[in-house]
Structures are given as C-alpha cells and as structure tokens.
CSV table of all heavy atoms in Angstrom, one decimal:
chain,number,residue,atom,x,y,z
A,1,VAL,N,39.2,-4.7,45.5
A,1,VAL,CA,37.9,-5.2,45.8
A,1,VAL,C,36.9,-4.1,45.4
A,1,VAL,O,35.9,-4.3,44.7
A,1,VAL,CB,37.6,-5.6,47.2
A,1,VAL,CG1,36.2,-5.9,47.5
A,1,VAL,CG2,38.5,-6.8,47.6
A,2,LYS,N,37.2,-2.8,45.7
A,2,LYS,CA,36.4,-1.7,45.3
A,2,LYS,C,36.2,-1.6,43.8
A,2,LYS,O,35.1,-1.4,43.3
A,2,LYS,CB,36.9,-0.4,45.9
A,2,LYS,CG,36.1,0.8,45.6
A,2,LYS,CD,36.8,2.1,46.1
A,2,LYS,CE,36.0,3.3,45.8
A,2,LYS,NZ,35.2,3.4,44.7
A,3,LEU,N,37.4,-1.7,43.1
A,3,LEU,CA,37.3,-1.6,41.6
A,3,LEU,C,36.4,-2.7,41.0
A,3,LEU,O,35.6,-2.5,40.1
A,3,LEU,CB,38.7,-1.7,41.1
A,3,LEU,CG,39.6,-0.5,41.2
A,3,LEU,CD1,41.0,-0.8,40.7
A,3,LEU,CD2,39.0,0.7,40.4
A,4,LEU,N,36.6,-3.9,41.5
A,4,LEU,CA,35.9,-5.1,41.0
A,4,LEU,C,34.4,-4.9,41.4
A,4,LEU,O,33.5,-5.3,40.6
A,4,LEU,CB,36.4,-6.4,41.5
A,4,LEU,CG,37.8,-6.8,41.0
A,4,LEU,CD1,38.4,-7.9,41.8
A,4,LEU,CD2,37.7,-7.1,39.6
A,5,ALA,N,34.1,-4.5,42.6
A,5,ALA,CA,32.7,-4.4,43.0
A,5,ALA,C,32.0,-3.2,42.3
A,5,ALA,O,30.8,-3.3,42.0
A,5,ALA,CB,32.7,-4.1,44.5
A,6,ASP,N,32.7,-2.1,42.0
A,6,ASP,CA,32.0,-1.0,41.4
A,6,ASP,C,31.8,-1.2,39.9
A,6,ASP,O,31.0,-0.5,39.3
A,6,ASP,CB,32.9,0.3,41.7
A,6,ASP,CG,32.8,0.7,43.1
A,6,ASP,OD1,31.9,0.2,43.9
A,6,ASP,OD2,33.6,1.6,43.5
A,7,ALA,N,32.5,-2.1,39.3
A,7,ALA,CA,32.4,-2.3,37.9
A,7,ALA,C,31.2,-3.1,37.6
A,7,ALA,O,31.0,-4.2,38.2
A,7,ALA,CB,33.7,-3.0,37.3
A,8,ALA,N,30.3,-2.7,36.7
A,8,ALA,CA,29.1,-3.4,36.3
A,8,ALA,C,29.5,-4.7,35.5
A,8,ALA,O,28.9,-5.7,35.7
A,8,ALA,CB,28.2,-2.5,35.5
A,9,THR,N,30.5,-4.5,34.7
A,9,THR,CA,30.9,-5.7,33.9
A,9,THR,C,32.5,-5.7,33.9
A,9,THR,O,33.1,-4.7,34.2
A,9,THR,CB,30.5,-5.6,32.4
A,9,THR,OG1,31.1,-4.4,31.8
A,9,THR,CG2,29.0,-5.5,32.3
A,10,PRO,N,33.1,-6.9,33.7
A,10,PRO,CA,34.5,-6.9,33.7
A,10,PRO,C,35.2,-6.0,32.6
A,10,PRO,O,36.2,-5.5,32.8
A,10,PRO,CB,34.9,-8.4,33.4
A,10,PRO,CG,33.6,-9.1,33.7
A,10,PRO,CD,32.5,-8.2,33.5
A,11,GLU,N,34.4,-5.8,31.5
A,11,GLU,CA,35.0,-5.0,30.4
A,11,GLU,C,35.1,-3.5,30.8
A,11,GLU,O,35.9,-2.8,30.3
A,11,GLU,CB,34.1,-5.1,29.2
A,11,GLU,CG,34.3,-6.3,28.4
A,11,GLU,CD,33.9,-7.6,29.1
A,11,GLU,OE1,32.9,-7.6,29.9
A,11,GLU,OE2,34.5,-8.7,28.8
A,12,ASP,N,34.4,-3.1,31.9
A,12,ASP,CA,34.6,-1.8,32.4
A,12,ASP,C,36.0,-1.6,33.0
A,12,ASP,O,36.4,-0.4,33.1
A,12,ASP,CB,33.5,-1.4,33.5
A,12,ASP,CG,32.1,-1.4,32.9
A,12,ASP,OD1,32.0,-1.3,31.6
A,12,ASP,OD2,31.2,-1.5,33.7
A,13,LEU,N,36.6,-2.7,33.4
A,13,LEU,CA,37.9,-2.6,34.0
A,13,LEU,C,39.1,-2.6,33.0
A,13,LEU,O,40.2,-2.3,33.3
A,13,LEU,CB,38.1,-3.8,34.9
A,13,LEU,CG,37.1,-3.9,36.1
A,13,LEU,CD1,37.2,-5.3,36.7
A,13,LEU,CD2,37.4,-2.8,37.1
A,14,PHE,N,38.7,-2.8,31.7
A,14,PHE,CA,39.8,-2.9,30.7
A,14,PHE,C,40.1,-1.6,30.1
A,14,PHE,O,40.1,-1.4,28.9
A,14,PHE,CB,39.4,-3.9,29.6
A,14,PHE,CG,39.2,-5.3,30.1
A,14,PHE,CD1,38.2,-6.1,29.5
A,14,PHE,CD2,39.9,-5.8,31.2
A,14,PHE,CE1,38.0,-7.4,30.0
A,14,PHE,CE2,39.7,-7.1,31.6
A,14,PHE,CZ,38.7,-7.9,31.0
A,15,GLN,N,40.2,-0.6,30.9
A,15,GLN,CA,40.5,0.8,30.4
A,15,GLN,C,42.0,1.1,30.7
A,15,GLN,O,42.3,2.0,31.5
A,15,GLN,CB,39.6,1.8,31.0
A,15,GLN,CG,38.1,1.5,30.8
A,15,GLN,CD,37.8,1.4,29.3
A,15,GLN,OE1,38.3,2.2,28.5
A,15,GLN,NE2,36.9,0.5,29.0
A,16,GLY,N,42.9,0.3,30.2
A,16,GLY,CA,44.3,0.5,30.5
A,16,GLY,C,44.9,1.7,29.9
A,16,GLY,O,44.4,2.3,29.0
A,17,GLN,N,46.0,2.1,30.4
A,17,GLN,CA,46.7,3.4,30.0
A,17,GLN,C,47.3,3.2,28.6
A,17,GLN,O,47.5,4.2,27.9
A,17,GLN,CB,47.8,3.8,31.0
A,17,GLN,CG,48.9,2.7,31.1
A,17,GLN,CD,50.0,3.2,32.0
A,17,GLN,OE1,50.0,4.4,32.4
A,17,GLN,NE2,50.9,2.3,32.4
A,18,TRP,N,47.5,2.0,28.1
A,18,TRP,CA,48.1,1.8,26.8
A,18,TRP,C,47.1,1.6,25.7
A,18,TRP,O,47.5,1.4,24.5
A,18,TRP,CB,49.2,0.7,26.8
A,18,TRP,CG,50.2,1.0,27.8
A,18,TRP,CD1,50.4,0.3,29.0
A,18,TRP,CD2,51.2,2.0,27.8
A,18,TRP,NE1,51.5,0.8,29.7
A,18,TRP,CE2,52.0,1.9,29.0
A,18,TRP,CE3,51.5,3.0,26.9
A,18,TRP,CZ2,53.0,2.7,29.2
A,18,TRP,CZ3,52.6,3.8,27.2
A,18,TRP,CH2,53.3,3.7,28.3
A,19,GLN,N,45.9,1.4,26.0
A,19,GLN,CA,44.9,1.1,25.0
A,19,GLN,C,44.6,2.3,24.1
A,19,GLN,O,44.2,3.4,24.7
A,19,GLN,CB,43.7,0.5,25.6
A,19,GLN,CG,43.9,-0.8,26.2
A,19,GLN,CD,42.7,-1.4,26.8
A,19,GLN,OE1,41.6,-0.8,26.8
A,19,GLN,NE2,42.9,-2.6,27.5
A,20,GLY,N,44.6,2.1,22.9
A,20,GLY,CA,44.2,3.2,22.0
A,20,GLY,C,45.2,4.3,21.8
A,20,GLY,O,44.9,5.3,21.1
A,21,ARG,N,46.4,4.2,22.4
A,21,ARG,CA,47.4,5.2,22.2
A,21,ARG,C,48.2,5.0,20.9
A,21,ARG,O,48.6,3.8,20.7
A,21,ARG,CB,48.3,5.2,23.4
A,21,ARG,CG,47.7,5.8,24.6
A,21,ARG,CD,48.6,5.9,25.8
A,21,ARG,NE,49.7,6.7,25.5
A,21,ARG,CZ,50.7,6.9,26.5
A,21,ARG,NH1,50.6,6.4,27.6
A,21,ARG,NH2,51.7,7.7,26.2
A,22,PRO,N,48.5,6.0,20.2
A,22,PRO,CA,49.3,5.8,19.0
A,22,PRO,C,50.8,5.5,19.4
A,22,PRO,O,51.3,6.0,20.5
A,22,PRO,CB,49.2,7.1,18.3
A,22,PRO,CG,48.9,8.1,19.3
A,22,PRO,CD,48.1,7.4,20.3
A,23,SER,N,51.5,4.8,18.6
A,23,SER,CA,52.9,4.4,18.8
A,23,SER,C,53.7,5.4,18.0
A,23,SER,O,53.3,5.9,16.9
A,23,SER,CB,53.1,3.0,18.4
A,23,SER,OG,54.5,2.7,18.4
A,24,LYS,N,54.9,5.6,18.5
A,24,LYS,CA,55.9,6.4,17.7
A,24,LYS,C,56.2,5.7,16.4
A,24,LYS,O,56.7,6.3,15.4
A,24,LYS,CB,57.2,6.6,18.4
A,24,LYS,CG,57.0,7.6,19.6
A,24,LYS,CD,58.4,7.8,20.3
A,24,LYS,CE,58.2,8.8,21.5
A,24,LYS,NZ,59.5,9.0,22.1
A,25,LEU,N,56.0,4.4,16.4
A,25,LEU,CA,56.3,3.5,15.2
A,25,LEU,C,55.2,3.6,14.1
A,25,LEU,O,55.5,3.2,13.0
A,25,LEU,CB,56.6,2.1,15.7
A,25,LEU,CG,57.2,1.1,14.7
A,25,LEU,CD1,58.6,1.7,14.3
A,25,LEU,CD2,57.4,-0.2,15.4
A,26,ASP,N,54.0,4.0,14.5
A,26,ASP,CA,52.9,4.0,13.6
A,26,ASP,C,53.2,4.6,12.2
A,26,ASP,O,52.8,4.1,11.2
A,26,ASP,CB,51.7,4.6,14.2
A,26,ASP,CG,51.0,3.7,15.2
A,26,ASP,OD1,51.4,2.5,15.3
A,26,ASP,OD2,50.2,4.2,16.0
A,27,ALA,N,53.9,5.8,12.2
A,27,ALA,CA,54.2,6.5,11.0
A,27,ALA,C,55.2,5.7,10.1
A,27,ALA,O,55.2,5.9,8.9
A,27,ALA,CB,54.7,7.9,11.3
A,28,PHE,N,55.9,4.8,10.7
A,28,PHE,CA,56.9,4.0,10.0
A,28,PHE,C,56.5,2.6,9.6
A,28,PHE,O,57.3,1.9,9.0
A,28,PHE,CB,58.2,4.0,10.8
A,28,PHE,CG,58.8,5.4,11.0
A,28,PHE,CD1,58.4,6.1,12.1
A,28,PHE,CD2,59.6,6.0,10.1
A,28,PHE,CE1,58.9,7.4,12.3
A,28,PHE,CE2,60.1,7.3,10.3
A,28,PHE,CZ,59.8,8.0,11.4
A,29,LYS,N,55.3,2.2,10.0
A,29,LYS,CA,54.8,0.8,9.7
A,29,LYS,C,54.8,0.5,8.3
A,29,LYS,O,55.2,-0.6,7.9
A,29,LYS,CB,53.5,0.6,10.3
A,29,LYS,CG,53.4,0.6,11.9
A,29,LYS,CD,53.5,-0.8,12.4
A,29,LYS,CE,53.6,-0.8,13.9
A,29,LYS,NZ,52.5,-1.4,14.5
A,30,PRO,N,54.4,1.4,7.4
A,30,PRO,CA,54.5,1.0,5.9
A,30,PRO,C,55.9,0.7,5.5
A,30,PRO,O,56.1,-0.2,4.7
A,30,PRO,CB,53.9,2.3,5.2
A,30,PRO,CG,53.1,2.9,6.2
A,30,PRO,CD,53.7,2.7,7.5
A,31,TYR,N,56.9,1.5,6.0
A,31,TYR,CA,58.3,1.3,5.6
A,31,TYR,C,58.7,-0.1,6.2
A,31,TYR,O,59.4,-0.8,5.5
A,31,TYR,CB,59.1,2.4,6.2
A,31,TYR,CG,60.6,2.2,5.8
A,31,TYR,CD1,61.0,2.6,4.5
A,31,TYR,CD2,61.5,1.7,6.7
A,31,TYR,CE1,62.4,2.5,4.2
A,31,TYR,CE2,62.8,1.6,6.3
A,31,TYR,CZ,63.3,2.0,5.1
A,31,TYR,OH,64.6,1.8,4.7
A,32,LEU,N,58.3,-0.4,7.4
A,32,LEU,CA,58.7,-1.7,8.0
A,32,LEU,C,58.1,-2.8,7.2
A,32,LEU,O,58.8,-3.8,7.0
A,32,LEU,CB,58.3,-1.7,9.5
A,32,LEU,CG,59.3,-1.3,10.5
A,32,LEU,CD1,59.7,0.1,10.4
A,32,LEU,CD2,58.7,-1.5,11.9
A,33,ASP,N,56.8,-2.7,6.8
A,33,ASP,CA,56.2,-3.7,6.0
A,33,ASP,C,56.9,-3.9,4.7
A,33,ASP,O,57.1,-5.0,4.2
A,33,ASP,CB,54.7,-3.4,5.8
A,33,ASP,CG,53.9,-3.4,7.0
A,33,ASP,OD1,54.3,-4.1,8.0
A,33,ASP,OD2,52.8,-2.8,7.1
A,34,ASP,N,57.3,-2.8,4.0
A,34,ASP,CA,58.0,-2.9,2.7
A,34,ASP,C,59.3,-3.6,2.9
A,34,ASP,O,59.7,-4.5,2.1
A,34,ASP,CB,58.3,-1.5,2.2
A,34,ASP,CG,57.0,-0.8,1.7
A,34,ASP,OD1,56.0,-1.6,1.5
A,34,ASP,OD2,57.0,0.4,1.5
A,35,ARG,N,60.1,-3.2,4.0
A,35,ARG,CA,61.4,-3.9,4.2
A,35,ARG,C,61.2,-5.4,4.5
A,35,ARG,O,62.0,-6.2,4.1
A,35,ARG,CB,62.1,-3.2,5.3
A,35,ARG,CG,62.6,-1.8,5.0
A,35,ARG,CD,63.6,-1.8,3.8
A,35,ARG,NE,64.9,-2.3,4.4
A,35,ARG,CZ,65.7,-3.1,3.7
A,35,ARG,NH1,65.4,-3.5,2.5
A,35,ARG,NH2,66.8,-3.5,4.3
A,36,TRP,N,60.1,-5.7,5.3
A,36,TRP,CA,59.9,-7.1,5.6
A,36,TRP,C,59.6,-7.9,4.4
A,36,TRP,O,60.1,-9.0,4.2
A,36,TRP,CB,58.7,-7.2,6.6
A,36,TRP,CG,58.4,-8.6,7.0
A,36,TRP,CD1,57.4,-9.4,6.4
A,36,TRP,CD2,58.9,-9.3,8.1
A,36,TRP,NE1,57.4,-10.6,7.0
A,36,TRP,CE2,58.3,-10.6,8.1
A,36,TRP,CE3,59.9,-9.1,9.0
A,36,TRP,CZ2,58.6,-11.6,9.0
A,36,TRP,CZ3,60.2,-10.1,9.9
A,36,TRP,CH2,59.6,-11.3,9.9
A,37,ASN,N,58.8,-7.3,3.5
A,37,ASN,CA,58.4,-8.0,2.2
A,37,ASN,C,59.6,-8.1,1.3
A,37,ASN,O,59.6,-9.0,0.4
A,37,ASN,CB,57.2,-7.3,1.5
A,37,ASN,CG,55.9,-7.4,2.3
A,37,ASN,OD1,55.8,-8.4,3.1
A,37,ASN,ND2,55.1,-6.4,2.2
A,38,GLN,N,60.6,-7.2,1.4
A,38,GLN,CA,61.8,-7.3,0.6
A,38,GLN,C,62.7,-8.4,1.2
A,38,GLN,O,63.7,-8.7,0.5
A,38,GLN,CB,62.5,-6.0,0.6
A,38,GLN,CG,61.8,-4.9,-0.1
A,38,GLN,CD,62.4,-3.5,0.1
A,38,GLN,OE1,63.4,-3.4,0.8
A,38,GLN,NE2,61.8,-2.5,-0.5
A,39,GLY,N,62.4,-8.9,2.3
A,39,GLY,CA,63.2,-10.0,2.9
A,39,GLY,C,64.1,-9.6,4.0
A,39,GLY,O,64.8,-10.4,4.6
A,40,CYS,N,64.1,-8.3,4.4
A,40,CYS,CA,64.9,-7.9,5.5
A,40,CYS,C,64.2,-8.1,6.8
A,40,CYS,O,63.2,-7.5,7.1
A,40,CYS,CB,65.2,-6.4,5.4
A,40,CYS,SG,66.3,-5.8,6.7
C-alpha cells in the first residue's frame, strides 16, 4: 500500500531489477541470428 500510495504514476513502480540490464547473451546475438538464418 505504501509503494502504491507513494508513487505518483504507475510507471514509477516499473523499476524492476531486470530492466535495462545487459545479458550475457548480448555479445553472441549476431551469431545466434546468423545460425537461425542458416536454418539451425
């Protein structure tokens, strides 16, 4: 209730721990895309 009441807008509550964090897979995404396009 405190979190909801203190937030001016609902979007203020969407500050999750996983948002905007890079993935370990990000550096390999081009390779994954190439393999996917090759049919694997």
Side-chain angles (χ1 to χ4, degrees):
V1 174
K2 179 184 180 332
L3 285 172
L4 292 168
D6 290 346
T9 64
E11 281 66 31
D12 294 342
L13 300 166
F14 300 146
Q15 305 300 323
Q17 62 178 347
W18 300 111
Q19 292 178 3
R21 285 181 62 177
S23 167
K24 290 182 180 179
L25 194 60
D26 286 345
F28 298 91
K29 290 264 177 117
Y31 183 80
L32 268 60
D33 293 339
D34 290 343
R35 292 295 286 139
W36 180 267
N37 292 333
Q38 292 170 1
C40 182

